[in-house]
Amino acid sequence: MGRRILFLGPPGGGKGTQAKMVRRALGVPHVSTGDMLREAMASGSDLGRRAEAYVSVGDLVPDELVVALVEERLAREDAAGGYLLDGFPRNLPQAEALAEVLGDEALDTIVYLDVDEDEIIARLLKRAQIEGRADDNEETIRHRLEVFHGETEPLIAYYGDRVRRIDGTGSVEDIYCRIALELAS
Ligand code: AMP
């Protein structure tokens, strides 16, 4: 069995960027609920239409929709050799649902990318200009940060000493090196 890695961190913390680099290095699929929801919205599927109202304002999509999405994704053959979760779980009920799905196959590494709030807002505003993501406007960014503090941050305590806190500031390459060192230890 390969690695089962979770990337935790605030929006704009660099999870997606780093997860893509780690995926290339380890050859395990990158399971990003944000990417999956954006794909569903772009395809106009039933799930996409339901998710849109939440994603567009920076709220969390209801747990049952996201848990079903992840459960289906992790059951696919390419995830049998490990995976990298990014953006899920996002709250305690999702973490509990994941623990139930995984059973004895617990996550082996939980990486928390630590970035301070001013830096996050600056990064997200920049991304808004470059990528034009509909949820990267200032009001939604502030709301996503509130959601992060209220719903996602408690996962740090939930996972306890299994969390490896990584300094998420500096160049993309520097951050990647810190993560690679942590994953190798
Ligand atoms: P992300 O790309 O991870 O920042 O996610 C973008 C948006 O997708 C979030 O602001 C939520 O609206 C939604 N989303 C992503 N992952 C989840 C999740 N695990 N639970 C609920 N909503 C999610």
Side-chain angles (χ1 to χ4, degrees):
M1 183 68 204
R3 308 289 305 258
R4 288 181 297 270
I5 301 165
L6 166 62
F7 272 31
L8 271 179
K15 299 187 299 294
T17 304
Q18 294 297 330
K20 287 183 181 74
M21 292 169 80
V22 172
R23 168 189 58 187
R24 275 197 292 277
L26 296 182
V28 292
H30 169 208
V31 178
S32 156
T33 44
D35 286 351
M36 289 192 281
L37 291 168
R38 279 185 289 278
E39 272 163 33
M41 291 189 296
S43 76
S45 67
D46 185 43
L47 167 70
R49 282 197 301 274
R50 290 169 74 184
E52 188 128 34
Y54 302 93
V55 175
S56 61
V57 293
D59 278 334
L60 294 185
V61 173
D63 295 339
E64 63 270 21
L65 297 181
V66 185
V67 169
L69 196 63
V70 171
E71 198 164 359
E72 187 271 325
R73 181 66 189 86
L74 296 186
R76 277 197 237 158
E77 211 176 305
D78 66 339
Y83 44 79
L84 208 162
L85 282 173
D86 157 16
F88 177 93
R90 207 64 158 230
N91 58 19
L92 285 170
Q94 292 181 12
E96 282 158 5
L98 176 65
E100 222 161 275
V101 170
L102 296 183
D104 294 335
E105 299 185 344
L107 298 167
D108 62 60
T109 312
I110 299 162
V111 169
Y112 179 74
L113 283 174
D114 201 2
V115 182
D116 78 46
E117 195 121 341
D118 290 345
E119 165 98 16
I120 291 168
I121 293 171
R123 282 188 194 179
L124 288 172
L125 288 172
K126 196 165 146 201
R127 185 169 80 186
Q129 287 175 338
I130 298 169
E131 294 180 18
R133 251 176 71 164
D135 58 348
D136 279 345
N137 61 74
E138 186 151 3
E139 194 189 337
T140 310
I141 288 168
R142 290 201 188 277
H143 183 58
R144 279 155 66 209
L145 279 169
E146 277 167 21
V147 170
F148 170 74
H149 290 308
E151 308 248 350
T152 311
E153 224 166 28
L155 293 180
I156 300 173
Y158 173 84
Y159 287 117
D161 57 14
R162 297 164 61 201
V163 176
R164 322 236 183 124
R165 196 178 279 263
I166 306 263
D167 174 6
T169 56
S171 72
V172 167
E173 292 75 20
D174 284 349
I175 301 165
Y176 176 70
C177 281
R178 292 178 202 130
I179 294 172
L181 272 176
E182 203 54 67
L183 290 176
S185 67

PDB file of all heavy atoms in Angstrom, residues 144-180:
ATOM      1  N   ARG A 144     -14.435  32.780   3.226  1.00  0.00           N
ATOM      2  CA  ARG A 144     -13.774  31.464   3.215  1.00  0.00           C
ATOM      3  C   ARG A 144     -12.790  31.347   4.372  1.00  0.00           C
ATOM      4  O   ARG A 144     -12.602  30.271   4.939  1.00  0.00           O
ATOM      5  CB  ARG A 144     -13.090  31.222   1.870  1.00  0.00           C
ATOM      6  CG  ARG A 144     -14.100  30.744   0.823  1.00  0.00           C
ATOM      7  CD  ARG A 144     -13.673  31.058  -0.580  1.00  0.00           C
ATOM      8  NE  ARG A 144     -12.500  30.359  -0.999  1.00  0.00           N
ATOM      9  CZ  ARG A 144     -11.631  30.843  -1.902  1.00  0.00           C
ATOM     10  NH1 ARG A 144     -11.816  32.024  -2.436  1.00  0.00           N
ATOM     11  NH2 ARG A 144     -10.595  30.138  -2.239  1.00  0.00           N
ATOM     12  N   LEU A 145     -12.159  32.475   4.731  1.00  0.00           N
ATOM     13  CA  LEU A 145     -11.245  32.439   5.881  1.00  0.00           C
ATOM     14  C   LEU A 145     -12.005  32.206   7.182  1.00  0.00           C
ATOM     15  O   LEU A 145     -11.552  31.466   8.054  1.00  0.00           O
ATOM     16  CB  LEU A 145     -10.442  33.737   5.961  1.00  0.00           C
ATOM     17  CG  LEU A 145      -9.240  33.768   5.027  1.00  0.00           C
ATOM     18  CD1 LEU A 145      -8.652  35.164   4.959  1.00  0.00           C
ATOM     19  CD2 LEU A 145      -8.198  32.768   5.506  1.00  0.00           C
ATOM     20  N   GLU A 146     -13.175  32.844   7.294  1.00  0.00           N
ATOM     21  CA  GLU A 146     -14.003  32.619   8.493  1.00  0.00           C
ATOM     22  C   GLU A 146     -14.418  31.162   8.591  1.00  0.00           C
ATOM     23  O   GLU A 146     -14.376  30.551   9.655  1.00  0.00           O
ATOM     24  CB  GLU A 146     -15.293  33.445   8.416  1.00  0.00           C
ATOM     25  CG  GLU A 146     -15.167  34.890   8.853  1.00  0.00           C
ATOM     26  CD  GLU A 146     -16.402  35.692   8.442  1.00  0.00           C
ATOM     27  OE1 GLU A 146     -17.481  35.088   8.204  1.00  0.00           O
ATOM     28  OE2 GLU A 146     -16.268  36.919   8.339  1.00  0.00           O
ATOM     29  N   VAL A 147     -14.836  30.611   7.440  1.00  0.00           N
ATOM     30  CA  VAL A 147     -15.236  29.205   7.407  1.00  0.00           C
ATOM     31  C   VAL A 147     -14.039  28.329   7.800  1.00  0.00           C
ATOM     32  O   VAL A 147     -14.168  27.373   8.569  1.00  0.00           O
ATOM     33  CB  VAL A 147     -15.770  28.809   6.004  1.00  0.00           C
ATOM     34  CG1 VAL A 147     -15.961  27.306   5.890  1.00  0.00           C
ATOM     35  CG2 VAL A 147     -17.073  29.541   5.708  1.00  0.00           C
ATOM     36  N   PHE A 148     -12.865  28.691   7.292  1.00  0.00           N
ATOM     37  CA  PHE A 148     -11.662  27.927   7.640  1.00  0.00           C
ATOM     38  C   PHE A 148     -11.439  27.930   9.147  1.00  0.00           C
ATOM     39  O   PHE A 148     -11.251  26.873   9.760  1.00  0.00           O
ATOM     40  CB  PHE A 148     -10.431  28.496   6.908  1.00  0.00           C
ATOM     41  CG  PHE A 148      -9.151  27.912   7.415  1.00  0.00           C
ATOM     42  CD1 PHE A 148      -8.802  26.610   7.091  1.00  0.00           C
ATOM     43  CD2 PHE A 148      -8.325  28.634   8.263  1.00  0.00           C
ATOM     44  CE1 PHE A 148      -7.643  26.034   7.603  1.00  0.00           C
ATOM     45  CE2 PHE A 148      -7.167  28.072   8.777  1.00  0.00           C
ATOM     46  CZ  PHE A 148      -6.826  26.767   8.444  1.00  0.00           C
ATOM     47  N   HIS A 149     -11.487  29.139   9.755  1.00  0.00           N
ATOM     48  CA  HIS A 149     -11.230  29.213  11.206  1.00  0.00           C
ATOM     49  C   HIS A 149     -12.297  28.446  11.993  1.00  0.00           C
ATOM     50  O   HIS A 149     -11.980  27.733  12.941  1.00  0.00           O
ATOM     51  CB  HIS A 149     -11.188  30.672  11.671  1.00  0.00           C
ATOM     52  CG  HIS A 149      -9.972  31.397  11.175  1.00  0.00           C
ATOM     53  ND1 HIS A 149      -8.693  30.911  11.341  1.00  0.00           N
ATOM     54  CD2 HIS A 149      -9.837  32.555  10.503  1.00  0.00           C
ATOM     55  CE1 HIS A 149      -7.827  31.744  10.783  1.00  0.00           C
ATOM     56  NE2 HIS A 149      -8.496  32.747  10.265  1.00  0.00           N
ATOM     57  N   GLY A 150     -13.542  28.602  11.578  1.00  0.00           N
ATOM     58  CA  GLY A 150     -14.620  27.986  12.353  1.00  0.00           C
ATOM     59  C   GLY A 150     -14.743  26.488  12.152  1.00  0.00           C
ATOM     60  O   GLY A 150     -15.011  25.754  13.093  1.00  0.00           O
ATOM     61  N   GLU A 151     -14.550  26.034  10.907  1.00  0.00           N
ATOM     62  CA  GLU A 151     -14.868  24.632  10.594  1.00  0.00           C
ATOM     63  C   GLU A 151     -13.640  23.750  10.382  1.00  0.00           C
ATOM     64  O   GLU A 151     -13.635  22.588  10.777  1.00  0.00           O
ATOM     65  CB  GLU A 151     -15.706  24.577   9.302  1.00  0.00           C
ATOM     66  CG  GLU A 151     -16.912  25.474   9.344  1.00  0.00           C
ATOM     67  CD  GLU A 151     -18.200  24.685   9.367  1.00  0.00           C
ATOM     68  OE1 GLU A 151     -18.176  23.469   9.164  1.00  0.00           O
ATOM     69  OE2 GLU A 151     -19.231  25.317   9.615  1.00  0.00           O
ATOM     70  N   THR A 152     -12.625  24.297   9.720  1.00  0.00           N
ATOM     71  CA  THR A 152     -11.502  23.443   9.310  1.00  0.00           C
ATOM     72  C   THR A 152     -10.380  23.426  10.350  1.00  0.00           C
ATOM     73  O   THR A 152      -9.783  22.375  10.603  1.00  0.00           O
ATOM     74  CB  THR A 152     -10.951  23.903   7.932  1.00  0.00           C
ATOM     75  OG1 THR A 152     -12.053  24.058   7.025  1.00  0.00           O
ATOM     76  CG2 THR A 152      -9.976  22.895   7.363  1.00  0.00           C
ATOM     77  N   GLU A 153     -10.134  24.583  10.964  1.00  0.00           N
ATOM     78  CA  GLU A 153      -9.031  24.653  11.927  1.00  0.00           C
ATOM     79  C   GLU A 153      -9.168  23.631  13.075  1.00  0.00           C
ATOM     80  O   GLU A 153      -8.148  23.083  13.510  1.00  0.00           O
ATOM     81  CB  GLU A 153      -8.911  26.079  12.478  1.00  0.00           C
ATOM     82  CG  GLU A 153      -7.485  26.545  12.541  1.00  0.00           C
ATOM     83  CD  GLU A 153      -7.378  28.040  12.751  1.00  0.00           C
ATOM     84  OE1 GLU A 153      -8.288  28.654  13.351  1.00  0.00           O
ATOM     85  OE2 GLU A 153      -6.377  28.596  12.304  1.00  0.00           O
ATOM     86  N   PRO A 154     -10.399  23.346  13.537  1.00  0.00           N
ATOM     87  CA  PRO A 154     -10.508  22.338  14.602  1.00  0.00           C
ATOM     88  C   PRO A 154      -9.951  20.963  14.215  1.00  0.00           C
ATOM     89  O   PRO A 154      -9.684  20.131  15.086  1.00  0.00           O
ATOM     90  CB  PRO A 154     -12.027  22.250  14.846  1.00  0.00           C
ATOM     91  CG  PRO A 154     -12.555  23.586  14.435  1.00  0.00           C
ATOM     92  CD  PRO A 154     -11.703  24.011  13.273  1.00  0.00           C
ATOM     93  N   LEU A 155      -9.734  20.731  12.918  1.00  0.00           N
ATOM     94  CA  LEU A 155      -9.165  19.444  12.512  1.00  0.00           C
ATOM     95  C   LEU A 155      -7.720  19.292  12.983  1.00  0.00           C
ATOM     96  O   LEU A 155      -7.220  18.182  13.132  1.00  0.00           O
ATOM     97  CB  LEU A 155      -9.228  19.281  10.988  1.00  0.00           C
ATOM     98  CG  LEU A 155     -10.626  19.164  10.390  1.00  0.00           C
ATOM     99  CD1 LEU A 155     -10.548  19.010   8.886  1.00  0.00           C
ATOM    100  CD2 LEU A 155     -11.364  17.980  11.005  1.00  0.00           C
ATOM    101  N   ILE A 156      -7.055  20.417  13.227  1.00  0.00           N
ATOM    102  CA  ILE A 156      -5.673  20.337  13.702  1.00  0.00           C
ATOM    103  C   ILE A 156      -5.664  19.647  15.067  1.00  0.00           C
ATOM    104  O   ILE A 156      -4.839  18.762  15.320  1.00  0.00           O
ATOM    105  CB  ILE A 156      -5.040  21.749  13.796  1.00  0.00           C
ATOM    106  CG1 ILE A 156      -5.042  22.406  12.408  1.00  0.00           C
ATOM    107  CG2 ILE A 156      -3.625  21.679  14.346  1.00  0.00           C
ATOM    108  CD1 ILE A 156      -4.607  23.857  12.418  1.00  0.00           C
ATOM    109  N   ALA A 157      -6.612  20.039  15.912  1.00  0.00           N
ATOM    110  CA  ALA A 157      -6.708  19.380  17.225  1.00  0.00           C
ATOM    111  C   ALA A 157      -7.220  17.952  17.074  1.00  0.00           C
ATOM    112  O   ALA A 157      -6.755  17.043  17.762  1.00  0.00           O
ATOM    113  CB  ALA A 157      -7.631  20.188  18.142  1.00  0.00           C
ATOM    114  N   TYR A 158      -8.148  17.751  16.142  1.00  0.00           N
ATOM    115  CA  TYR A 158      -8.715  16.403  15.926  1.00  0.00           C
ATOM    116  C   TYR A 158      -7.604  15.404  15.565  1.00  0.00           C
ATOM    117  O   TYR A 158      -7.552  14.300  16.092  1.00  0.00           O
ATOM    118  CB  TYR A 158      -9.774  16.473  14.823  1.00  0.00           C
ATOM    119  CG  TYR A 158     -10.333  15.143  14.367  1.00  0.00           C
ATOM    120  CD1 TYR A 158     -11.379  14.529  15.053  1.00  0.00           C
ATOM    121  CD2 TYR A 158      -9.826  14.509  13.229  1.00  0.00           C
ATOM    122  CE1 TYR A 158     -11.904  13.309  14.624  1.00  0.00           C
ATOM    123  CE2 TYR A 158     -10.347  13.294  12.798  1.00  0.00           C
ATOM    124  CZ  TYR A 158     -11.384  12.702  13.496  1.00  0.00           C
ATOM    125  OH  TYR A 158     -11.895  11.503  13.064  1.00  0.00           O
ATOM    126  N   TYR A 159      -6.697  15.815  14.661  1.00  0.00           N
ATOM    127  CA  TYR A 159      -5.642  14.890  14.238  1.00  0.00           C
ATOM    128  C   TYR A 159      -4.441  14.907  15.198  1.00  0.00           C
ATOM    129  O   TYR A 159      -3.576  14.036  15.124  1.00  0.00           O
ATOM    130  CB  TYR A 159      -5.198  15.182  12.800  1.00  0.00           C
ATOM    131  CG  TYR A 159      -6.228  14.758  11.768  1.00  0.00           C
ATOM    132  CD1 TYR A 159      -6.854  15.682  10.942  1.00  0.00           C
ATOM    133  CD2 TYR A 159      -6.588  13.420  11.627  1.00  0.00           C
ATOM    134  CE1 TYR A 159      -7.801  15.286   9.999  1.00  0.00           C
ATOM    135  CE2 TYR A 159      -7.539  13.019  10.696  1.00  0.00           C
ATOM    136  CZ  TYR A 159      -8.138  13.956   9.888  1.00  0.00           C
ATOM    137  OH  TYR A 159      -9.076  13.568   8.965  1.00  0.00           O
ATOM    138  N   GLY A 160      -4.408  15.928  16.067  1.00  0.00           N
ATOM    139  CA  GLY A 160      -3.430  15.958  17.154  1.00  0.00           C
ATOM    140  C   GLY A 160      -1.985  15.859  16.703  1.00  0.00           C
ATOM    141  O   GLY A 160      -1.576  16.532  15.757  1.00  0.00           O
ATOM    142  N   ASP A 161      -1.214  15.006  17.378  1.00  0.00           N
ATOM    143  CA  ASP A 161       0.226  14.992  17.104  1.00  0.00           C
ATOM    144  C   ASP A 161       0.582  14.277  15.795  1.00  0.00           C
ATOM    145  O   ASP A 161       1.755  14.137  15.460  1.00  0.00           O
ATOM    146  CB  ASP A 161       1.018  14.425  18.288  1.00  0.00           C
ATOM    147  CG  ASP A 161       0.565  13.036  18.658  1.00  0.00           C
ATOM    148  OD1 ASP A 161      -0.157  12.412  17.846  1.00  0.00           O
ATOM    149  OD2 ASP A 161       0.930  12.566  19.754  1.00  0.00           O
ATOM    150  N   ARG A 162      -0.446  13.880  15.043  1.00  0.00           N
ATOM    151  CA  ARG A 162      -0.135  13.325  13.716  1.00  0.00           C
ATOM    152  C   ARG A 162       0.083  14.445  12.695  1.00  0.00           C
ATOM    153  O   ARG A 162       0.541  14.194  11.585  1.00  0.00           O
ATOM    154  CB  ARG A 162      -1.282  12.428  13.246  1.00  0.00           C
ATOM    155  CG  ARG A 162      -1.449  11.223  14.166  1.00  0.00           C
ATOM    156  CD  ARG A 162      -2.788  10.561  13.953  1.00  0.00           C
ATOM    157  NE  ARG A 162      -2.931  10.084  12.588  1.00  0.00           N
ATOM    158  CZ  ARG A 162      -4.095   9.826  12.006  1.00  0.00           C
ATOM    159  NH1 ARG A 162      -5.216  10.017  12.664  1.00  0.00           N
ATOM    160  NH2 ARG A 162      -4.143   9.385  10.775  1.00  0.00           N
ATOM    161  N   VAL A 163      -0.245  15.674  13.093  1.00  0.00           N
ATOM    162  CA  VAL A 163      -0.126  16.804  12.160  1.00  0.00           C
ATOM    163  C   VAL A 163       1.313  17.300  12.117  1.00  0.00           C
ATOM    164  O   VAL A 163       1.928  17.559  13.135  1.00  0.00           O
ATOM    165  CB  VAL A 163      -1.050  17.963  12.595  1.00  0.00           C
ATOM    166  CG1 VAL A 163      -0.858  19.178  11.693  1.00  0.00           C
ATOM    167  CG2 VAL A 163      -2.502  17.515  12.593  1.00  0.00           C
ATOM    168  N   ARG A 164       1.857  17.399  10.897  1.00  0.00           N
ATOM    169  CA  ARG A 164       3.188  17.995  10.731  1.00  0.00           C
ATOM    170  C   ARG A 164       2.999  19.392  10.166  1.00  0.00           C
ATOM    171  O   ARG A 164       2.548  19.560   9.049  1.00  0.00           O
ATOM    172  CB  ARG A 164       4.023  17.176   9.749  1.00  0.00           C
ATOM    173  CG  ARG A 164       3.789  15.692   9.895  1.00  0.00           C
ATOM    174  CD  ARG A 164       5.049  14.949  10.150  1.00  0.00           C
ATOM    175  NE  ARG A 164       4.783  13.534  10.219  1.00  0.00           N
ATOM    176  CZ  ARG A 164       5.370  12.625   9.459  1.00  0.00           C
ATOM    177  NH1 ARG A 164       6.253  13.002   8.556  1.00  0.00           N
ATOM    178  NH2 ARG A 164       5.088  11.357   9.609  1.00  0.00           N
ATOM    179  N   ARG A 165       3.358  20.364  10.993  1.00  0.00           N
ATOM    180  CA  ARG A 165       3.153  21.759  10.604  1.00  0.00           C
ATOM    181  C   ARG A 165       4.341  22.241   9.775  1.00  0.00           C
ATOM    182  O   ARG A 165       5.483  22.130  10.203  1.00  0.00           O
ATOM    183  CB  ARG A 165       3.017  22.605  11.874  1.00  0.00           C
ATOM    184  CG  ARG A 165       2.424  23.970  11.657  1.00  0.00           C
ATOM    185  CD  ARG A 165       2.302  24.697  12.981  1.00  0.00           C
ATOM    186  NE  ARG A 165       1.128  24.300  13.731  1.00  0.00           N
ATOM    187  CZ  ARG A 165      -0.019  24.976  13.734  1.00  0.00           C
ATOM    188  NH1 ARG A 165      -0.139  26.074  13.006  1.00  0.00           N
ATOM    189  NH2 ARG A 165      -1.036  24.564  14.441  1.00  0.00           N
ATOM    190  N   ILE A 166       4.040  22.721   8.586  1.00  0.00           N
ATOM    191  CA  ILE A 166       5.101  23.164   7.674  1.00  0.00           C
ATOM    192  C   ILE A 166       4.939  24.660   7.430  1.00  0.00           C
ATOM    193  O   ILE A 166       3.824  25.129   7.190  1.00  0.00           O
ATOM    194  CB  ILE A 166       4.951  22.453   6.301  1.00  0.00           C
ATOM    195  CG1 ILE A 166       4.905  20.936   6.480  1.00  0.00           C
ATOM    196  CG2 ILE A 166       5.992  22.929   5.306  1.00  0.00           C
ATOM    197  CD1 ILE A 166       6.182  20.226   6.279  1.00  0.00           C
ATOM    198  N   ASP A 167       6.059  25.372   7.458  1.00  0.00           N
ATOM    199  CA  ASP A 167       6.027  26.797   7.139  1.00  0.00           C
ATOM    200  C   ASP A 167       5.672  26.934   5.654  1.00  0.00           C
ATOM    201  O   ASP A 167       6.438  26.508   4.785  1.00  0.00           O
ATOM    202  CB  ASP A 167       7.420  27.379   7.446  1.00  0.00           C
ATOM    203  CG  ASP A 167       7.551  28.826   7.017  1.00  0.00           C
ATOM    204  OD1 ASP A 167       6.541  29.426   6.587  1.00  0.00           O
ATOM    205  OD2 ASP A 167       8.677  29.348   7.114  1.00  0.00           O
ATOM    206  N   GLY A 168       4.496  27.523   5.392  1.00  0.00           N
ATOM    207  CA  GLY A 168       4.001  27.625   4.023  1.00  0.00           C
ATOM    208  C   GLY A 168       4.360  28.926   3.343  1.00  0.00           C
ATOM    209  O   GLY A 168       3.724  29.299   2.351  1.00  0.00           O
ATOM    210  N   THR A 169       5.367  29.645   3.878  1.00  0.00           N
ATOM    211  CA  THR A 169       5.779  30.897   3.226  1.00  0.00           C
ATOM    212  C   THR A 169       7.141  30.702   2.543  1.00  0.00           C
ATOM    213  O   THR A 169       7.894  29.794   2.893  1.00  0.00           O
ATOM    214  CB  THR A 169       5.878  32.053   4.233  1.00  0.00           C
ATOM    215  OG1 THR A 169       6.779  31.671   5.284  1.00  0.00           O
ATOM    216  CG2 THR A 169       4.536  32.363   4.859  1.00  0.00           C
ATOM    217  N   GLY A 170       7.426  31.576   1.591  1.00  0.00           N
ATOM    218  CA  GLY A 170       8.673  31.471   0.837  1.00  0.00           C
ATOM    219  C   GLY A 170       8.369  31.002  -0.574  1.00  0.00           C
ATOM    220  O   GLY A 170       7.213  31.023  -0.997  1.00  0.00           O
ATOM    221  N   SER A 171       9.407  30.560  -1.286  1.00  0.00           N
ATOM    222  CA  SER A 171       9.179  30.178  -2.686  1.00  0.00           C
ATOM    223  C   SER A 171       8.502  28.812  -2.746  1.00  0.00           C
ATOM    224  O   SER A 171       8.582  28.015  -1.805  1.00  0.00           O
ATOM    225  CB  SER A 171      10.510  30.128  -3.440  1.00  0.00           C
ATOM    226  OG  SER A 171      11.263  29.007  -3.019  1.00  0.00           O
ATOM    227  N   VAL A 172       7.841  28.544  -3.857  1.00  0.00           N
ATOM    228  CA  VAL A 172       7.165  27.259  -4.068  1.00  0.00           C
ATOM    229  C   VAL A 172       8.164  26.112  -3.878  1.00  0.00           C
ATOM    230  O   VAL A 172       7.857  25.092  -3.264  1.00  0.00           O
ATOM    231  CB  VAL A 172       6.546  27.239  -5.494  1.00  0.00           C
ATOM    232  CG1 VAL A 172       6.101  25.847  -5.892  1.00  0.00           C
ATOM    233  CG2 VAL A 172       5.379  28.206  -5.570  1.00  0.00           C
ATOM    234  N   GLU A 173       9.395  26.318  -4.380  1.00  0.00           N
ATOM    235  CA  GLU A 173      10.414  25.262  -4.296  1.00  0.00           C
ATOM    236  C   GLU A 173      10.849  25.033  -2.847  1.00  0.00           C
ATOM    237  O   GLU A 173      11.044  23.894  -2.427  1.00  0.00           O
ATOM    238  CB  GLU A 173      11.656  25.620  -5.141  1.00  0.00           C
ATOM    239  CG  GLU A 173      11.424  25.618  -6.635  1.00  0.00           C
ATOM    240  CD  GLU A 173      10.633  26.842  -7.124  1.00  0.00           C
ATOM    241  OE1 GLU A 173      10.588  27.874  -6.396  1.00  0.00           O
ATOM    242  OE2 GLU A 173      10.047  26.758  -8.220  1.00  0.00           O
ATOM    243  N   ASP A 174      11.003  26.131  -2.093  1.00  0.00           N
ATOM    244  CA  ASP A 174      11.411  25.984  -0.686  1.00  0.00           C
ATOM    245  C   ASP A 174      10.352  25.221   0.103  1.00  0.00           C
ATOM    246  O   ASP A 174      10.669  24.357   0.920  1.00  0.00           O
ATOM    247  CB  ASP A 174      11.608  27.360  -0.024  1.00  0.00           C
ATOM    248  CG  ASP A 174      12.914  28.014  -0.450  1.00  0.00           C
ATOM    249  OD1 ASP A 174      13.736  27.317  -1.071  1.00  0.00           O
ATOM    250  OD2 ASP A 174      13.086  29.217  -0.170  1.00  0.00           O
ATOM    251  N   ILE A 175       9.097  25.582  -0.140  1.00  0.00           N
ATOM    252  CA  ILE A 175       8.008  24.919   0.594  1.00  0.00           C
ATOM    253  C   ILE A 175       7.975  23.441   0.221  1.00  0.00           C
ATOM    254  O   ILE A 175       7.846  22.566   1.082  1.00  0.00           O
ATOM    255  CB  ILE A 175       6.652  25.611   0.291  1.00  0.00           C
ATOM    256  CG1 ILE A 175       6.702  27.086   0.691  1.00  0.00           C
ATOM    257  CG2 ILE A 175       5.506  24.903   1.024  1.00  0.00           C
ATOM    258  CD1 ILE A 175       5.575  27.936   0.110  1.00  0.00           C
ATOM    259  N   TYR A 176       8.153  23.173  -1.081  1.00  0.00           N
ATOM    260  CA  TYR A 176       8.149  21.783  -1.536  1.00  0.00           C
ATOM    261  C   TYR A 176       9.270  20.987  -0.848  1.00  0.00           C
ATOM    262  O   TYR A 176       9.061  19.850  -0.414  1.00  0.00           O
ATOM    263  CB  TYR A 176       8.298  21.711  -3.059  1.00  0.00           C
ATOM    264  CG  TYR A 176       8.387  20.287  -3.525  1.00  0.00           C
ATOM    265  CD1 TYR A 176       7.278  19.449  -3.456  1.00  0.00           C
ATOM    266  CD2 TYR A 176       9.587  19.750  -3.986  1.00  0.00           C
ATOM    267  CE1 TYR A 176       7.358  18.120  -3.833  1.00  0.00           C
ATOM    268  CE2 TYR A 176       9.675  18.426  -4.368  1.00  0.00           C
ATOM    269  CZ  TYR A 176       8.563  17.620  -4.290  1.00  0.00           C
ATOM    270  OH  TYR A 176       8.646  16.293  -4.649  1.00  0.00           O
ATOM    271  N   CYS A 177      10.443  21.597  -0.717  1.00  0.00           N
ATOM    272  CA  CYS A 177      11.565  20.896  -0.062  1.00  0.00           C
ATOM    273  C   CYS A 177      11.219  20.552   1.377  1.00  0.00           C
ATOM    274  O   CYS A 177      11.513  19.447   1.849  1.00  0.00           O
ATOM    275  CB  CYS A 177      12.824  21.771  -0.050  1.00  0.00           C
ATOM    276  SG  CYS A 177      13.645  21.763  -1.620  1.00  0.00           S
ATOM    277  N   ARG A 178      10.562  21.486   2.077  1.00  0.00           N
ATOM    278  CA  ARG A 178      10.179  21.211   3.474  1.00  0.00           C
ATOM    279  C   ARG A 178       9.212  20.032   3.530  1.00  0.00           C
ATOM    280  O   ARG A 178       9.311  19.165   4.396  1.00  0.00           O
ATOM    281  CB  ARG A 178       9.508  22.437   4.107  1.00  0.00           C
ATOM    282  CG  ARG A 178      10.453  23.604   4.312  1.00  0.00           C
ATOM    283  CD  ARG A 178       9.723  24.827   4.908  1.00  0.00           C
ATOM    284  NE  ARG A 178      10.487  26.025   4.596  1.00  0.00           N
ATOM    285  CZ  ARG A 178       9.993  27.138   4.054  1.00  0.00           C
ATOM    286  NH1 ARG A 178       8.693  27.252   3.812  1.00  0.00           N
ATOM    287  NH2 ARG A 178      10.772  28.151   3.787  1.00  0.00           N
ATOM    288  N   ILE A 179       8.274  20.014   2.592  1.00  0.00           N
ATOM    289  CA  ILE A 179       7.290  18.926   2.589  1.00  0.00           C
ATOM    290  C   ILE A 179       7.969  17.603   2.248  1.00  0.00           C
ATOM    291  O   ILE A 179       7.720  16.569   2.894  1.00  0.00           O
ATOM    292  CB  ILE A 179       6.160  19.222   1.571  1.00  0.00           C
ATOM    293  CG1 ILE A 179       5.367  20.446   2.022  1.00  0.00           C
ATOM    294  CG2 ILE A 179       5.232  18.022   1.418  1.00  0.00           C
ATOM    295  CD1 ILE A 179       4.361  20.956   1.007  1.00  0.00           C
ATOM    296  N   ALA A 180       8.839  17.632   1.245  1.00  0.00           N
ATOM    297  CA  ALA A 180       9.504  16.385   0.829  1.00  0.00           C
ATOM    298  C   ALA A 180      10.334  15.822   1.982  1.00  0.00           C
ATOM    299  O   ALA A 180      10.342  14.606   2.214  1.00  0.00           O
ATOM    300  CB  ALA A 180      10.388  16.659  -0.382  1.00  0.00           C
TER     301      ALA A 180
END
